[in-house]
Amino acid sequence: MTETPALAKEGPSGVLVYTTGLFLAVILTATSFWVANTTLLWAPGVALGLAVLAIAQMGVHLVFFLHITTAPDNTNNVLALAFGVLIVFLVVAGSLWIMGDLSSMMPAGAAMRMPMHH
Amino acid sequence: MNIAVDTRAIELLDVRPEAPARASEAGPAPKRIVVGYGFWIFLLSDIVMFAALFAAYAVLVHSTAGGPGGPQLFSQASVAIETACLLASSYTCGLMLLAANSRRRGAFYLAAVVTLVLGAAFLALEIREFAGMIARGATPQTSAFLSAFFTLVGCHGLHVTIGLLWLVVMMAQVAVKSFRASVMRRLLCFSLFWHALDIIWVALFTVVYLMGVVP
């Protein structure tokens, strides 16, 4: 059994980190489900609110569960994450933009003449 | 003779850069850090693949071809239970890693089994949901929306299945090989994988299930 000091240094504080993360994630998830079902909120803003809550929860997971921090030994992980987020944004936003443009420029009825089995 | 050696030593010192000590000057990173970084890059590539599936779903979400749409198919109660299962299993996975770090065997097996049971409960609920939809005629062939839905959610479910198999393998490895360095690195990778699946599920339940039922 090889001792790895870097691994052994985490003690009870580790449990505290995970429990904090769980607590925050539960609050954010519960808020998401409430926001989607309530009639109290301004309806057009609900989708945006859900997106903000989801991004906040992903941040909580990254920091408290995956331990992506700003520590010097974590620079590479953060840079890789930044690149990944850029690609995800380009793929999702680009697809929605292009396909939205395509369907709005398609003449009325053209979609009907282009069925799936073409 | 001694003086000559001393000046050479001083010259060698002068060649070193003036900048404060960086991580790179501490020598090569430990293998645990390198392995974690490599696996993190794999996870990001997996997330990029999911981004493509999310984009396909978002584009096709209204292409129901006269078939059922999201509000008719999705049960929020079932999704809430699935979310709770996966979140709790992510937490116990963290506790499992902590137990392994401090070499507490009993706590490790307990946390691993709880993680396994919660993950299996998530998967069982998802399969039941899929079976219910198919029984009502909402198959992947029905519409582009349902094709995209089954691809996206099914791909996540497939990842969870692989994660559960991996967890069983890791429990066997700890039983046979104990907490040696290679096993600890694999446990670290497994925990990263499991937490990343939970991050994807957050995006999934928000985009598919919650935004899907909002008018």
Side-chain angles (χ1 to χ4, degrees):
Chain A
M1 193 194 294
T2 328
E3 270 300 320
T4 39
L7 285 174
K9 76 177 179 202
E10 283 176 288
S13 64
V15 177
L16 189 65
V17 169
Y18 282 112
T19 309
T20 313
L22 179 71
F23 180 70
L24 291 173
V26 165
I27 289 178
L28 288 166
T29 304
T31 315
S32 282
F33 274 85
W34 178 78
V35 164
N37 290 298
T38 185
T39 49
L40 286 174
L41 297 171
W42 183 56
V46 165
L48 184 66
L50 284 172
V52 170
L53 284 166
I55 290 168
Q57 191 174 344
M58 287 185 214
V60 166
H61 282 240
L62 282 173
V63 171
F64 291 94
F65 291 165
L66 284 152
H67 308 301
I68 299 294
T69 61
T70 51
D73 63 342
N74 231 318
T75 319
N76 288 331
N77 292 345
V78 175
L79 281 176
L81 173 67
F83 183 68
V85 170
L86 172 72
I87 301 296
V88 166
F89 174 77
L90 288 179
V91 167
V92 173
S95 299
L96 284 174
W97 183 21
I98 291 170
M99 296 310 284
D101 243 22
L102 198 65
S103 65
S104 70
M105 288 204 285
M106 198 171 276
M112 297 292 157
R113 291 198 303 274
M114 276 175 50
M116 303 289 274
H117 55 76
H118 231 258
Chain B
M1 192 63 184
N2 279 339
I3 294 162
V5 169
D6 278 354
T7 43
R8 270 176 62 198
I10 289 163
E11 275 171 14
L12 279 174
L13 280 174
D14 281 348
V15 171
R16 305 186 97 199
E18 293 287 311
R22 292 157 183 255
S24 58
E25 281 177 22
K31 195 164 183 187
R32 190 184 70 98
I33 302 280
V34 177
V35 167
Y37 179 53
F39 197 75
W40 178 230
I41 289 183
F42 157 71
L43 286 177
L44 287 168
S45 75
D46 216 27
I47 287 171
V48 167
M49 183 203 70
F50 269 104
L53 296 180
F54 269 108
Y57 178 83
V59 166
L60 298 171
V61 69
H62 298 299
S63 314
T64 50
Q72 289 102 57
L73 291 172
F74 302 151
S75 143
Q76 281 207 40
S78 164
V79 173
I81 299 169
E82 284 175 42
T83 306
C85 282
L86 210 58
L87 185 57
S89 86
S90 215
Y91 177 68
T92 56
C93 174
L95 297 185
M96 179 188 85
L97 195 66
L98 291 177
N101 284 348
S102 51
R103 309 290 191 265
R104 282 174 290 142
R105 241 166 208 288
F108 168 80
Y109 284 122
L110 179 65
V113 166
V114 174
T115 308
L116 194 71
V117 168
L118 287 167
F122 168 86
L123 207 60
L125 279 169
E126 191 161 78
I127 290 171
R128 201 189 65 167
E129 185 201 358
F130 280 8
M133 284 171 67
I134 289 169
R136 280 192 284 165
T139 59
Q141 298 97 313
T142 308
S143 63
F145 156 68
L146 281 166
S147 300
F149 168 83
F150 278 105
T151 311
L152 175 59
V153 185
C155 192
H156 178 269
L158 204 61
H159 276 74
V160 173
T161 313
I162 293 168
L164 290 176
L165 289 175
W166 190 359
L167 181 57
V168 172
V169 170
M170 286 323 298
M171 285 166 75
Q173 289 207 348
V174 169
V176 175
K177 303 179 175 179
S178 191
F179 297 114
R180 66 169 78 158
S182 60
V183 173
M184 291 304 293
R185 284 196 298 272
R186 287 168 205 158
L187 279 175
L188 176 74
C189 289
F190 169 76
S191 79
L192 289 175
F193 183 72
W194 201 247
H195 293 316
L197 285 187
D198 205 14
I199 290 185
I200 292 168
W201 180 252
V202 170
L204 221 154
F205 82 72
T206 303
V207 171
V208 174
Y209 293 103
L210 294 185
M211 288 183 181
V213 295
V214 170

